[in-house]
Amino acid sequence: MIEGRALGALGANCYLYACMESKKAAIIDPGADGKKIYHWILEKGLQVDYILLTHGHVDHIGAVDELKALLGEDVLVGIHAGDAEMLTDAKKNLSSFVGSNVVLQSADFLLQDGQELSIGKQLLKVISTPGHSPGCVCFLCTEGLFSGDTLFAGSIGRTDFPGGSLDQLLQGVKEKLLILPEDTRVFPGHGEETSIGEEKRDNPYLCK
């Protein structure tokens, strides 16, 4: 099961991914409104094992500590090493530039390219796609791809933030994401759902 909600001032998509057979779940990119996310989880009757982060910008991490406090210390927070310092540095996660100065606890573990995480009887595979930030990742499951701010419907992530690289981002998208089956659903960090096939055909950044 996949459900998403746009949260916070920048409308970043937070996703709830669950194995309904086991009632185990992961929360992906809780950027804001930790209490709303918590009640969303309770409504579904799920047990969250992981809080997983596609990258470390403030609109995707802002509610991590609040949500973990509500869910309990057994919930593990994961982020790629390339963005790990963003959790504890308001300048690196860009929150200092918008006046919020978000400083969080360090992650419980670091995500690695190709790593597979068990969510009940389901698996989430980590795909490293740096470019929007040094430690950007996507998560692939049987139901689709959580693309964070790497790939959007009709667009790609910004690369003008510190540590960004357009060449790196495009290389990762073309070599790791566009090789997926065209009917793969894509759940981006902002905006509407798309598919790999749609982006191969219509995304102006990828059709050049």
Side-chain angles (χ1 to χ4, degrees):
M1 181 207 78
I2 295 173
E3 288 189 7
R5 296 184 181 182
L7 301 173
L10 297 179
N13 290 329
C14 173
Y15 291 101
L16 177 57
Y17 175 64
C19 170
M20 297 309 291
E21 184 177 349
S22 65
K23 295 295 185 180
K24 297 282 190 174
I27 285 287
I28 298 173
D29 288 356
D33 302 324
K35 289 181 181 177
K36 288 184 180 179
I37 299 171
Y38 178 64
H39 288 297
W40 178 20
I41 295 164
L42 292 182
E43 288 168 8
K44 297 294 180 182
L46 299 172
Q47 179 184 333
V48 172
D49 289 335
Y50 296 108
I51 296 172
L52 301 175
L53 306 172
T54 60
H55 63 292
H57 291 151
V58 62
D59 54 326
H60 293 259
I61 68 170
V64 168
D65 281 7
E66 179 186 13
L67 184 59
K68 180 166 181 171
L70 291 166
L71 291 171
E73 290 301 313
D74 290 340
V75 178
L76 301 178
V77 176
I79 193 170
H80 190 278
D83 282 13
E85 292 184 357
M86 293 185 183
L87 293 177
T88 58
D89 190 318
K91 185 175 180 180
K92 290 182 178 179
N93 67 38
L94 306 181
S95 63
S96 65
F97 297 101
V98 295
S100 55
N101 289 315
V102 173
V103 176
L104 304 172
Q105 298 296 313
S106 297
D108 297 301
F109 70 105
L110 299 177
L111 302 170
Q112 299 180 22
D113 188 36
Q115 179 180 7
E116 292 186 334
L117 300 168
S118 296
I119 313 297
K121 296 185 177 182
Q122 304 295 327
L123 291 176
L124 273 180
K125 183 178 181 180
V126 180
I127 302 175
S128 176
T129 54
H132 176 66
S133 70
C136 259
V137 301
C138 301
F139 299 106
L140 180 65
C141 64
T142 55
E143 295 180 59
L145 177 79
F146 300 97
S147 63
D149 283 7
T150 294
L151 179 64
F152 302 124
S155 189
I156 57 174
R158 291 177 59 169
T159 58
D160 57 338
F161 294 129
S165 167
L166 178 60
D167 289 343
Q168 214 176 18
L169 187 149
L170 289 173
Q171 180 181 1
V173 170
K174 292 176 180 179
E175 295 181 359
K176 294 185 175 183
L177 303 187
L178 297 190
I179 63 171
L180 298 172
E182 292 200 356
D183 62 353
T184 302
R185 298 168 70 188
V186 177
F187 306 97
H190 298 268
E192 299 300 318
E193 177 185 335
T194 182
S195 72
I196 292 296
E198 288 178 76
E199 298 316 304
K200 287 175 72 172
R201 290 187 297 270
D202 301 328
N203 192 312
Y205 295 91
L206 306 176
C207 301
K208 297 177 180 178

